[in-house]
Amino acid sequence: MVMGLAGLPGKEWMIRDVKGRKHCYDSEREALEELSEYGEGATVWTREVYRMLFVTRSVDGWQQVPAPRD
């Protein structure tokens, strides 16, 4: 598979805890499963990225994901 000039598109997932620390995850499912481990006030964020060689670029920046309803 050959990457185009725009790079390889994908998504990144992160949990931001109440102390402002960021924890990265490979998928939405994984991030949402781990959310309760970081306590009340922790939030899930995602962004669209394009990876080119050793550089990752985001067009729109991080967007907060609505909390799941139990």
Side-chain angles (χ1 to χ4, degrees):
M1 175 189 213
V2 178
M3 286 192 312
L5 293 176
L8 189 61
K11 278 194 168 195
E12 288 186 339
W13 297 90
M14 150 181 93
I15 292 178
R16 183 175 290 158
D17 65 19
V18 293
K19 294 181 180 178
R21 291 182 295 224
K22 300 173 184 175
H23 310 274
C24 295
Y25 292 91
D26 295 327
S27 70
E28 178 182 22
R29 180 188 57 77
E30 185 180 17
L32 292 175
E33 286 176 357
E34 296 291 322
L35 182 60
S36 64
E37 299 294 321
Y38 293 99
E40 191 173 333
T43 53
V44 177
W45 297 72
T46 187
R47 68 179 179 171
E48 292 285 336
V49 295
Y50 297 92
R51 292 180 175 88
M52 299 167 282
L53 298 176
F54 301 107
V55 179
T56 299
R57 300 277 183 205
S58 174
V59 176
D60 297 326
W62 290 102
Q63 304 293 319
Q64 188 171 353
V65 176
R69 297 178 187 220
D70 292 331

